[in-house]
Amino acid sequence: MNRRELLLAGVSAAAAGSLAYPGTSRAQAPKEVTIGVIYPMSGASAQVGIDARNAFETALDIINNDHQLDLVAAKGAGLAALGGAKIRLVFADHQADPQKGRAEAERLITQEKVSAIIGCYQSSVSATVSAVTERYGVPFLCADSSSPSLQRRNMKFFFRPAAQDEMFSAAMFDFFDAQKKKGKKIDSVGLFFEDTIFGVDSSNTQRKLANDRGYKIAADVKYRTNSPSLTAEVQQLKSADPDVLMPSTYTTDAMLLVKTMAELGFKPKNLVAQASGFSEQVTYDAVGDKLKGAITRASFSLDLAAKRPFIKTVNDMFKARSTRDLNDNTSRQFMGLLLLAEAINRAGSLEGPKVRDALAATDIPGTSTIMPWARVKYGPDGQNPEASPVLLQYLGDKFVTIFPSEVAIADAIWPMNG
Amino acid sequence: MTDEALNLPPAFGMLPRRRNQLLVAAAVFAAIAVSPFAIKDVYLQNVLVLTLLYAAVSQSWNILGGYCGQISLGHALYFGIGAYATSVLFVTYGIVPWGGMLVGGILSAAIALLLGYPCFRLKGHYFSIATIVIAEIGLLLVHNWDFVGGALGIQWPFGSDSWATLQFARDKVPYIHLALALLAITWFVTFLIEGSRWGYWWRAVKDNPEAAESLGVEIFHSKMAAAAVSAFFTAIGGAFYASFLAYIDPESVMSFRFSLLFALPAVLGGIGTLWGPVVGAAILIPLTEITRSYLGGSGSGIDLIIYGGLIMLVALAKPEGILSLFQGKRQKAEGRS
Amino acid sequence: MTTQALLQVLASGLLMGLIYALIAVGLSLIFGLMDVVNFAHGEFLMTAMYVVFGLFLFTALDPVLFAPVAAAVLFCVGALAYLGIVRFAMRAKANQGMVQIFATFGLATLLQGAAQYFLTPDYRSIGNSWLGGKTLDLGGVFLPWPQMFGGLVSIAAFGGLYLLMSRTDFGKALEATREDQGAVALVGIDRNRVFALGWGLGAALVGLAGAVLAIFYYIHPQVGATFGLIAYVTVALGGFGSVFGALVAGVIVGLVEALTAAFLPPAMKSLGIFALYLGVVFIRPSGLFGKL
């Protein structure tokens, strides 16, 4: 679908939506479940929103049509407990602004009568959106914001099936410990992170883990996001030359970082990234030749398709829409919507509090998801503690899972640049 | 028919035109105050709050930028100071936002005075760029200052609805009335300034730059005072925004975008006029919100095209601001009578 | 910090500074000619980067060859922006500066939206080129060829601009119009034509900068914002309207930025540039080389 068609589809969907509501016809029509989707659709991270849209529409296809996959919410068309009701998505743009995110959440709840909201990528926006959903008693499924602080506000309507930064970073250090036991040299780490809530949260966790587990922090570089150049920053990393470079950066800066490292002749011994920019295909399209052996944490791995064939089916469906493979973000978005649909179906109701109770009672084995998770079962804070993250290594043409050992299909190439 | 014609003494020494403006303002603000009875939709109420807030802050900007002709593109600094002072005092020290509002306002006014001395020596674009640069310095410092949360920002705790803490979970009506009160006050302050000595001096300087020479010192002092007043009310707006949103981070209250957004309504409506910022905000903010809400979800960028195109169109078609449409008609009407 | 590291910081700062200068000079030229600050300057840069990227995709020729094409396309964009927009904004009786700022700000928003609409908000970059990824190693100080090419283009552009301004009739017409807009009409110079050409020239220069940047930087509808603010500060630092000032200020900004990042936390590296600007204008209110 090109841009123009997308727009036309959006306009006609809006028109159809407004026509479908004249009071009389609504009772006869099969019931519809509306879910709000709030993402950055314009501005610097607009591509994230567009990819998310493709992920959600893939999930919508799986839910609303009958698919014989051993995947949550796939079998049967629509939601069986609601008489086969279809899910309708309403997309909204928050432009990475917490105020706009909140306004959209209020609009979706009061005007569109959504049964749940899913979002929002930027943690700062998820913070204000989840405050609104809490106040209106509508569940918020936090698909891909990974800031740990989000779950610490005693919220009853907040649910996060995927891992947060503490879990991701802990996995990295577990991996380091394991490599160390094998006799590999890892004494020092270098933190490189952007001055946003994502970068700062991520680095705080990593700094604490490094201190607790006895790794020396050779470099601790916070940089201004979207800088024209990163030369001086890379120069500092080069002088420190840590055993592992740990970047927490979005796509633009990830590309610039890798280019600048190559320009200054700095080959990090190892690179273990907090996903984000390092899980985006465009980064590897642009600078992949310099990233052979780079490791990134992830929520998702295509390797799993060997054990669960439906993952390939889902990936092909997504690829048909977006021309790229599912990645760390899009897999979480896709899975988030399926889990939401499953809970709404179990609730047998469109009302927020009932959907909330159903979500809280969720207990799904990881094998019926596309993720490497052990299971989906939310704690009292709404966080799924069993969302085991994985580490992937880039081999020049594809990613392979290297950690944890239960799901790994290859040993890590370590060091990456000898 | 005028008062003079009837041989009546002008009320409180006020010209009839100014008295009429007060009456119009009272009517407009009263209508807005009761509007929540008609507008029940939360989304529209949210748009109304933002419109009133931007009108008020733009009105504050207008005192310095419009009447004084000092084009500041760094008012996000004062907005941020208000937002941060209020949030830090409330979240860290438990001082109700009303206190933070005042502290933020006074702090901003003091900083504006401090910056005024060197900055008012600069002319035209050098002044504007200096204001941008100073606001950017403020943004960088807040970004890297852990005491105020740094990049993580400040989250206000959930609490029950209360006028003391200015927290209302679902109800937008109190925010409408607060923002309206702020707008009414900034409007009235502008009204007073317009009729004061400062107002006459500034107009004189605009019409006849040589007059500035003879008024030199007074002009400088009046500009300093205007900067302080303007910064004070902008900070109050920021404090309001922080309590309204209950979450702030550096980019969401201090980015350059805000500085432009404060100037834009005044420019679109009519810069250096009493009603310009109000008219500008009444058109601009609903337009921004509605294009984003109903077109932005597609991710096509069409909302930006429409938004940018309309700003350009207004700037080109009515360079003196939308208000000049009405003024043209009124002047004609007055000319005929 | 070792000497080598210091030299590296200085060399990188210098190369980046030359590119800043090239981005800024077009803005300065337009300002000098007619007292207008173009807020869409960053978006002109973005447009040029997309032009080069598009040509690279369709012709598979090396992006280095497209610099003149980008300059030519941007010349047209600039001239059209004047004829279609700025000319009308200049009719404002009061607060002309503000009206121009917002007319061009509207144009900037529109260009960003158009880029997203037609080209998607995806991040692009040019992978293989003659210069891409190649680096000159001078005893441990690394000089990337794309940036060196950028520096050379910048120096050549300033040289060419100097000749154009001092030796040609067009240059003299520009200079005369800048000195006295009313008088030139009397000697038969069409003011509108000179302004349109001036805008074209200013945009062409930023087109060159965009072409150079496209070789080693990512391309994105919002990329203009990254360079926009630095361009304004550079122009003001050098003195609005001064071509030579833009060159000197660009280099200084590049060096100061790199040095600040070496001695302060890199997240605050812009502080150096900002403090420098304020320091200069508080002493010299019209920048280093401004007339005012």
Side-chain angles (χ1 to χ4, degrees):
Chain A
M1 202 187 264
N2 68 24
R3 195 142 305 293
R4 197 175 303 263
E5 283 164 350
L6 200 69
L7 175 73
L8 283 175
V11 170
S12 57
S18 58
L19 286 177
Y21 276 107
T24 50
S25 65
R26 204 183 170 192
Q28 293 117 12
K31 258 206 290 180
E32 200 178 45
V33 182
T34 312
I35 292 177
V37 182
I38 310 183
Y39 273 84
M41 298 286 186
S42 52
S45 38
Q47 188 59 37
V48 170
I50 294 190
D51 289 340
R53 194 184 170 101
N54 288 321
F56 288 122
E57 281 172 347
T58 309
L60 196 66
D61 181 349
I62 301 247
I63 298 162
N64 282 350
N65 301 306
D66 186 18
H67 290 269
Q68 291 305 314
L69 306 173
D70 292 322
L71 180 63
V72 167
K75 292 196 176 112
L79 303 179
L82 287 162
K86 306 265 181 186
I87 286 191
R88 181 173 74 100
L89 298 179
V90 187
F91 291 91
D93 176 17
H94 65 56
Q95 297 175 348
D97 180 342
Q99 186 277 122
K100 292 178 177 141
R102 187 177 78 155
E104 291 304 316
E106 286 172 345
R107 177 174 72 89
L108 295 179
I109 293 172
T110 58
Q111 290 187 355
E112 301 282 350
K113 315 280 181 219
V114 295
S115 299
I117 286 178
I118 189 164
C120 298
Y121 192 62
Q122 275 93 352
S123 293
S124 54
V125 183
S126 285
T128 55
V129 168
S130 58
V132 172
T133 52
E134 190 73 13
R135 285 166 173 173
Y136 279 86
V138 171
F140 173 64
L141 195 125
C142 178
D144 45 10
S145 301
S146 57
S147 171
S149 55
L150 288 171
Q151 80 207 41
R152 300 210 182 104
R153 289 174 299 159
N154 297 322
M155 296 218 229
K156 288 168 88 160
F157 288 82
F158 173 88
F159 295 93
R160 178 157 55 191
Q164 32 90 331
D165 283 335
E166 283 172 357
M167 300 159 72
F168 284 127
S169 295
M172 294 178 194
F173 281 87
D174 290 346
F175 169 70
F176 297 163
D177 290 348
Q179 288 296 100
K180 228 175 171 175
K181 265 192 197 145
K182 287 186 190 169
K184 303 279 169 80
K185 176 180 180 291
I186 314 176
D187 296 327
S188 60
V189 298
L191 308 184
F192 180 79
F193 57 100
E194 57 172 43
D195 62 343
T196 63
I197 188 166
F198 158 67
V200 172
D201 246 349
S202 161
S203 72
N204 285 345
T205 313
Q206 291 177 344
R207 199 172 297 115
K208 186 171 176 302
L209 282 164
N211 288 331
D212 290 352
R213 302 196 189 187
Y215 293 90
K216 185 174 161 257
I217 298 174
D220 195 342
V221 179
K222 176 158 81 168
Y223 72 94
R224 184 100 178 101
T225 183
N226 291 329
S227 283
S229 104
L230 290 174
T231 312
E233 289 83 342
V234 169
Q235 185 63 42
Q236 291 189 7
L237 296 175
K238 190 185 172 187
S239 312
D241 197 22
D243 290 333
V244 192
L245 175 61
M246 304 182 74
S248 306
T249 71
Y250 284 132
T251 312
T252 48
D253 296 322
M255 285 158 65
L256 193 59
L257 169 69
V258 176
K259 276 192 183 183
T260 310
M261 288 197 304
E263 284 168 6
L264 297 190
F266 171 43
K267 287 187 174 172
K269 288 180 204 140
N270 294 287
L271 187 149
V272 176
Q274 187 75 275
S276 200
F278 284 93
S279 60
E280 295 289 349
Q281 188 58 44
V282 282
T283 307
Y284 294 90
D285 289 347
V287 291
D289 55 325
K290 304 177 183 74
L291 280 175
K292 205 159 171 269
I295 294 170
T296 175
R297 59 88 166 161
S299 310
F300 175 73
S301 158
L302 269 179
D303 293 342
L304 265 183
K307 289 179 194 159
R308 300 178 209 159
F310 59 76
I311 293 179
K312 185 173 182 318
T313 317
V314 170
N315 189 53
D316 289 345
M317 286 172 71
F318 175 74
K319 210 169 181 173
R321 281 171 205 273
S322 71
T323 71
R324 34 188 91 164
D325 287 321
L326 281 167
N327 70 7
D328 185 49
N329 291 327
T330 44
S331 64
R332 283 187 279 175
Q333 291 146 1
F334 170 85
M335 206 55 233
L337 186 58
L338 292 196
L339 291 169
L340 204 47
E342 188 274 338
I344 294 172
N345 189 43
R346 211 151 20 81
S349 163
L350 303 186
E351 284 165 38
K354 290 198 177 134
V355 176
R356 186 253 156 217
D357 291 342
L359 272 167
T362 301
D363 189 353
I364 294 171
T367 46
S368 24
T369 72
I370 62 165
M371 314 302 266
W373 302 338
R375 68 191 310 107
V376 184
K377 191 174 189 330
Y378 303 102
D381 56 0
Q383 173 64 41
N384 174 20
E386 299 193 55
S388 11
V390 293
L391 298 185
L392 307 178
Q393 188 162 39
Y394 184 68
L395 294 184
D397 53 346
K398 60 172 182 173
F399 288 98
V400 293
T401 314
I402 51 148
F403 189 83
S405 51
E406 307 90 83
V407 287
I409 64 160
D411 271 340
I413 300 165
W414 191 279
M416 147 191 184
N417 291 312
Chain B
M1 195 170 287
T2 62
D3 289 348
E4 283 84 347
L6 289 171
N7 265 338
L8 287 175
F12 311 115
M14 209 180 271
L15 293 171
R17 210 180 128 248
R18 283 179 55 76
R19 199 182 56 197
N20 285 344
Q21 284 197 322
L22 267 186
L23 290 175
V24 169
V28 169
F29 295 147
I32 297 172
V34 297
S35 68
F37 291 108
I39 305 169
K40 298 251 184 248
D41 183 86
V42 178
Y43 172 74
L44 292 180
Q45 289 187 344
N46 193 64
V47 175
L48 181 58
V49 173
L50 290 176
T51 306
L52 293 169
L53 173 69
Y54 279 108
V57 177
S58 190
Q59 188 72 271
S60 318
W61 178 90
N62 197 29
I63 293 172
L64 183 66
Y67 288 95
C68 249
Q70 302 297 307
I71 304 297
S72 159
L73 293 177
H75 262 47
L77 177 71
Y78 306 126
F79 194 74
I81 289 173
Y84 267 97
T86 311
S87 301
V88 169
L89 287 176
F90 180 56
V91 177
T92 314
Y93 299 105
I95 297 169
V96 292
W98 296 98
M101 227 175 229
L102 207 63
V103 172
I106 292 169
L107 194 64
S108 281
I111 288 177
L113 287 176
L114 215 66
L115 293 174
Y117 263 103
C119 286
F120 283 136
R121 293 181 55 222
L122 304 177
K123 294 200 174 70
H125 298 294
Y126 292 99
F127 176 83
S128 299
I129 303 271
T131 58
I132 297 179
V133 160
I134 290 168
E136 287 291 313
I137 291 177
L139 175 66
L140 277 180
L141 294 178
V142 171
H143 240 297
N144 292 285
W145 188 11
D146 290 335
F147 175 69
V148 299
L152 302 179
I154 301 176
Q155 176 91 46
W156 288 39
F158 290 120
S160 47
D161 284 12
S162 143
W163 273 98
T165 61
L166 291 182
Q167 290 303 293
F168 303 94
R170 289 196 193 187
D171 196 1
K172 299 275 178 212
V173 179
Y175 291 119
I176 293 177
H177 289 144
L178 262 173
L180 177 63
L182 183 59
L183 173 60
I185 293 170
T186 53
W187 185 91
F188 189 64
V189 168
T190 315
F191 175 80
L192 290 181
I193 289 177
E194 206 179 47
S196 72
R197 281 179 308 170
W198 296 357
Y200 290 115
W201 288 340
W202 294 337
R203 237 166 292 151
V205 172
K206 264 186 202 158
D207 295 343
N208 176 11
E210 281 76 42
E213 298 293 322
S214 60
L215 286 166
V217 179
E218 286 93 336
I219 288 288
F220 182 76
H221 285 159
S222 69
K223 276 182 184 171
M224 291 285 280
V229 172
S230 179
F232 179 84
F233 284 111
T234 306
I236 305 267
F240 169 82
Y241 191 76
S243 63
F244 176 59
L245 202 56
Y247 168 80
I248 59 166
D249 70 357
E251 300 293 334
S252 69
V253 290
M254 286 184 85
S255 76
F256 175 58
R257 195 164 52 89
F258 282 92
S259 294
L260 279 177
L261 274 175
F262 299 151
L264 204 47
V267 177
L268 286 186
I271 189 170
T273 62
L274 255 180
W275 287 102
V278 183
V279 171
I283 291 168
L284 188 73
I285 303 303
L287 183 82
T288 317
E289 293 296 306
I290 287 162
T291 48
R292 188 198 66 247
S293 288
Y294 296 99
L295 294 170
S298 70
S300 66
I302 193 87
D303 53 327
L304 295 182
I305 298 181
I306 294 178
Y307 178 64
L310 279 171
I311 290 174
M312 227 162 71
L313 209 68
V314 173
L316 298 187
K318 272 284 142 205
E320 290 83 30
I322 296 163
L323 214 59
S324 63
L325 275 175
F326 307 101
Q327 274 166 349
K329 274 187 195 135
R330 198 177 62 203
Q331 271 157 16
K332 267 183 213 154
E334 278 170 2
R336 240 180 278 126
S337 65
Chain C
M1 182 179 256
T2 62
T3 323
Q4 199 185 47
L6 187 68
L7 282 175
Q8 177 72 62
V9 166
L10 290 175
S12 305
L14 176 69
L15 290 178
M16 207 61 207
L18 284 170
I19 293 171
Y20 289 158
L22 186 57
I23 298 173
V25 67
L27 194 65
S28 193
L29 194 78
I30 292 171
F31 179 89
L33 187 61
M34 50 199 287
D35 206 21
V36 169
V37 172
N38 174 19
F39 260 65
H41 199 67
E43 279 59 37
F44 282 7
L45 184 76
M46 179 265 293
T47 309
M49 290 171 82
Y50 271 112
V51 166
V52 171
F53 178 74
L55 286 170
F56 171 72
L57 271 195
F58 285 114
T59 64
L61 293 174
D62 196 87
V64 166
L65 302 172
F66 298 131
V69 187
V73 172
L74 264 287
F75 182 90
C76 301
V77 171
L80 282 176
Y82 172 74
L83 292 172
I85 299 159
V86 179
R87 188 157 56 112
F88 299 102
M90 287 177 67
R91 293 183 316 187
K93 289 179 206 78
N95 294 296
Q96 231 190 51
M98 258 343 248
V99 174
Q100 287 154 0
I101 285 178
F102 282 102
T104 52
F105 167 71
L107 177 66
T109 312
L110 189 138
L111 284 174
Q112 281 176 18
Q116 184 175 344
Y117 186 77
F118 293 108
L119 304 165
T120 82
D122 215 348
Y123 309 101
R124 319 282 188 159
S125 63
I126 292 176
N128 298 314
S129 62
W130 294 337
L131 303 173
K134 296 196 177 58
T135 293
L136 179 68
D137 181 353
L138 283 181
V141 176
F142 294 85
L143 300 173
W145 279 107
Q147 277 91 323
M148 289 219 283
F149 172 68
L152 289 176
V153 168
S154 175
I155 292 170
F158 273 97
L161 193 61
Y162 174 75
L163 291 179
L164 185 77
M165 298 296 274
S166 58
R167 303 281 165 84
T168 64
D169 286 346
F170 171 58
K172 282 173 193 144
L174 276 185
E175 192 63 39
T177 314
R178 169 206 296 228
E179 297 284 322
D180 189 341
Q181 296 187 10
V184 291
L186 299 175
V187 296
I189 294 176
D190 179 359
R191 203 173 64 129
N192 260 328
R193 201 163 147 256
V194 174
F195 282 170
L197 290 173
W199 267 77
L201 183 60
L205 287 164
V206 77
L208 274 183
V212 166
L213 271 178
I215 302 175
F216 64 91
Y217 209 74
Y218 55 81
I219 305 164
H220 183 252
Q222 313 277 323
V223 74
T226 304
F227 293 93
L229 181 62
I230 289 188
Y232 301 125
V233 174
T234 304
V235 170
L237 180 66
F240 278 99
S242 165
V243 168
F244 181 63
L247 177 62
V248 175
V251 171
I252 291 178
V253 165
L255 289 174
V256 167
E257 185 184 50
L259 283 171
T260 317
F263 294 106
L264 277 186
M268 306 217 262
K269 68 178 174 185
S270 305
L271 274 188
I273 309 173
F274 296 155
L276 176 75
Y277 171 74
L278 292 178
V280 167
V281 293
F282 287 163
I283 297 164
R284 278 186 62 85
S286 52
L288 291 172
F289 299 97
K291 288 178 192 161
L292 201 80

